[in-house]
Amino acid sequence: VECSSADEALAAAGAGADIVLLDNLGPQELHAAAAQVKAAHPGVTVEASGGIVLGTLPQFLGPHIDVVSMGCLTHSAPALDFALRV
């Protein structure tokens, strides 16, 4: 479940979500929200997403973050033009 606050994430986890995606939170807010979710629901996977790039990735890593999604890996990737002739 995609969540934009700690309250939303806690409500989603409480309703039975297996994974909560904390989207577009700054590093401090993200880590605080993730810690709250893990304290209340230790089995829930917490994913960080939104505006994370390789240069800022270390700021988003922490003990309560299980997965990090980075759109820059796909939407900023250069195109490759190739053909296959059989």
Side-chain angles (χ1 to χ4, degrees), residues 4-27:
S4 59
S5 70
D7 289 339
E8 286 181 5
L10 288 166
D18 295 328
I19 302 171
V20 293
L21 183 147
L22 296 170
D23 195 28
N24 292 316
L25 301 180

Side-chain angles (χ1 to χ4, degrees), residues 1-3 8-10 12-14 16-23 30 33-49 62-69:
V1 175
E2 184 174 319
C3 304
E8 286 181 5
L10 288 166
D18 295 328
I19 302 171
V20 293
L21 183 147
L22 296 170
D23 195 28
L30 170 75
Q36 289 177 35
V37 171
K38 287 293 192 174
H41 307 279
V44 170
T45 298
V46 176
E47 179 175 353
S49 181
H64 306 293
I65 306 299
D66 300 303
V67 179
V68 176
S69 295

Side-chain angles (χ1 to χ4, degrees), residues 52-80:
I52 303 169
V53 296
L54 290 175
T56 62
L57 177 61
Q59 298 171 26
F60 292 90
L61 303 176
H64 306 293
I65 306 299
D66 300 303
V67 179
V68 176
S69 295
M70 297 189 318
C72 67
L73 295 176
T74 56
H75 64 66
S76 299
L80 175 64

Side-chain angles (χ1 to χ4, degrees), residues 80-86:
L80 175 64
D81 185 15
F82 67 94
L84 174 65
R85 294 180 188 211
V86 180

